[in-house]
Structures are given as C-alpha cells and as structure tokens.
C-alpha cells in the first residue's frame, strides 16, 4: 500500500502500490488525487510535475503547495470491477524564515536577561526550538530548563535567564527545526554582564574645624565588566534625602566624580 509522507517544499515524493492478478487479464492503473478538505477524487495525468499516473508508481517532482492532498491507486481489468489501494497523504512543510533575530543584551550581575526570536513560514509546520550557549564564540551547547540555574523557555521562542552573574561574554542562539525541513540557526546574541559592584572602603566621618578642609575617600570594586561612573552625594537631613555634590561651586568641592572628594572649607557643612 502507498505510505503517507512528510516532506519539505521543493522535494520529490513517490507513491507505490503492488497489485496481484491471480487470473488472466491485463491490469490497468490510474492514480487519483483528493484535494485537502475535499471529498472528491480526481484522475491524475502525467503533467504539471506528475509522472507515472498510469503505473504502479506515481512520482511528484515538487510537493510545494500539496500539503494535505491524498493519493490512491485504482486498478482494474477489462471485465473485473476496479479495486482501490489505501490512500496516502502528503504533509508539506516550508523552510522557516527568521524575521526578528535575538539582540545583544547588557545587564548588571543579579539581573535577568531575555532573548527572543520571531519566525515566518509559508506552509503549516510543526516547529521546535532549542536555545544554545557558547563560551568560546564557536562551540554551542544545548540549554534546558533548570530552575536552580534560572533557565526558562529553552525550548520556546523566548529564553529567560534569571541571573546573568558569571555569564559575561556568553553568546546565545536558537536552533529552529521542523519535522521535514533542514534546521536553521539564529544569529548569536552576546550577553554583557557588568559588576557586581562592592564597596571595599567606605568614607569615614570626621570632626574638623570650620575653617579647615577635608578629604573623603572610598574604594569601589567591580568583579565584572563595565566602566565605573562615580558621583559623590550629600545629605543635610541625616541621610533621608541625597543630592549630587556639584563640581567646584565657588571652588569648594573637587573630585565629585572620583574616588576622593576634596572639600576646601567645611564651614556650613555640619
């Protein structure tokens, strides 16, 4: 009996059936087609990419546009009633086209990150996804959902990472497959994980004379990537609200964007 097939557009399909004749008489053959959603069978002819319509073997040069169509063989002799084979159907998928690629992301350690992809296809397709990660820009390994590692959506169009700490420089891509067409890969997207930041040295308070100056010093450590941007701030309500220290108002402050804040005169700052 002919067998149903799942193929990608552009491929050839062939159906075969074997008929036995235990007596005399010449057997004639006629392949028939039923369109998707139709209850009517029509005889095929050798035209439009169909070959072997009057033999035991029917071949179709290109299955594009034939998704859901079914085929059967009708056989008869001159005097005997015709018999029909079981029918076999085509499932035709089109290659997937990526319309939106995943984008690079920059996050701070402790934050999450998401990567996503959008696709389009001209034929119905059963699409599967598998996100992959590389730490050397060349070799990618499959990812799987893991609550402990904070990985979710590894088999969907949207990958979610709960915490990017330790993933700086990793690249992520998705493998997209259908049942019949060749798999494709998205462009890789790079993750930049900055920080985390730590205060190694906190500024120390002091009691000074009003007409003297003072220097506050702090040290910040960055365990990841990213350029440090420093800004000293000042509060006059015991730390309830804070405002940026302005650079060099009347020459009293300097180094407001450095690790050391220099105050020339402390008068009025108690």
């Amino acid at each position: 009996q002919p067998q149903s097939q799942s193929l990608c557009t552009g491929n050839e399909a062939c159906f075969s059936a074997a008929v036995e004749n235990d007596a005399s008489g010449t057997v004639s053959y006629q392949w028939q087609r039923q369109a998707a959603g139709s209850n009517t069978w029509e005889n095929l002819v050798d035209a439009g990419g169909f070959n072997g319509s009057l033999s035991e073997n029917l071949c179709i040069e290109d299955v594009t546009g034939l998704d859901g169509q079914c085929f059967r063989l009708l056989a008869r002799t001159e005097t005997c009633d015709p018999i029909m084979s079981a029918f076999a159907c085509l499932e035709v998928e089109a290659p997937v086209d990526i319309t939106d690629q995943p984008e690079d992301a920059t996050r701070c350690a402790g934050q999450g990150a998401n990567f996503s992809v959008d696709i389009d296809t001209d034929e119905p397709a059963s699409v599967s996804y598998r996100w992959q990660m590389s730490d050397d820009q060349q070799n990618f390994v499959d990812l799987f959902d893991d609550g402990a590692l904070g990985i979710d959506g590894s088999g969907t169009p949207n990958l979610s990472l709960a915490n990017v700490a330790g993933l700086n420089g990793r690249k992520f891509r998705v493998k997209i497959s259908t049942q019949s067409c060749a798999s494709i890969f998205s462009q890789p997207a790079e993750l930049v994980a900055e920080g985390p930041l730590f205060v190694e040295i906190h500024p120390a308070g002091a009691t000074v004379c009003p007409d003297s100056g003072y220097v506050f010093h702090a040290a910040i450590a960055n365990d990841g990537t990213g350029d440090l941007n420093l800004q000293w701030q000042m509060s006059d309500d015991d730390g309830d609200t804070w405002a940026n220290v302005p650079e060099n108002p009347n020459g009293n402050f300097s180094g407001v964007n450095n690790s050391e804040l220099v105050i020339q005169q402390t008068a009025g700052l108690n």
Side-chain angles (χ1 to χ4, degrees), residues 106-115 133 143 146-152 159-168 170 172 191-196:
T106 299
R107 300 289 187 272
C108 186
Q111 294 179 335
N114 297 298
F115 298 98
M133 181 180 71
L143 293 176
D146 190 321
L149 297 178
I151 301 174
D152 188 42
L159 174 68
S160 176
L161 305 174
N163 188 346
V164 301
L167 298 179
N168 179 60
R170 301 294 196 275
F172 298 84
L191 176 62
V192 176
E194 297 184 347

Side-chain angles (χ1 to χ4, degrees), residues 38-155:
S38 172
N39 294 320
T40 303
W41 290 89
E42 61 177 349
N43 291 338
L44 290 173
V45 297
D46 286 357
F50 291 94
N51 297 290
S53 61
L54 301 180
S55 72
E56 291 181 291
N57 302 295
L58 173 71
C59 285
I60 307 168
E61 293 177 3
D62 186 347
V63 298
T64 301
L66 301 182
D67 180 65
Q69 297 198 10
C70 299
F71 301 86
R72 71 182 183 185
L73 179 64
L74 184 149
R76 60 158 54 95
T77 65
E78 184 176 349
T79 57
C80 294
D81 292 334
I83 60 171
M84 289 168 292
S85 72
F87 64 85
C89 300
L90 280 176
E91 179 182 1
V92 181
E93 296 181 336
V96 172
D97 180 38
I98 297 177
T99 55
D100 288 309
Q101 298 281 354
E103 297 180 351
D104 295 342
T106 299
R107 300 289 187 272
C108 186
Q111 294 179 335
N114 297 298
F115 298 98
S116 62
V117 66
D118 286 329
I119 67 168
D120 187 24
T121 180
D122 293 332
E123 295 279 357
S126 176
V127 181
S128 62
Y129 302 85
R130 179 56 53 195
W131 284 91
Q132 299 178 322
M133 181 180 71
S134 172
D135 58 7
D136 62 4
Q137 319 301 317
Q138 294 181 348
N139 300 301
F140 284 82
V141 296
D142 289 344
L143 293 176
F144 297 93
D145 288 0
D146 190 321
L149 297 178
I151 301 174
D152 188 42
S154 60

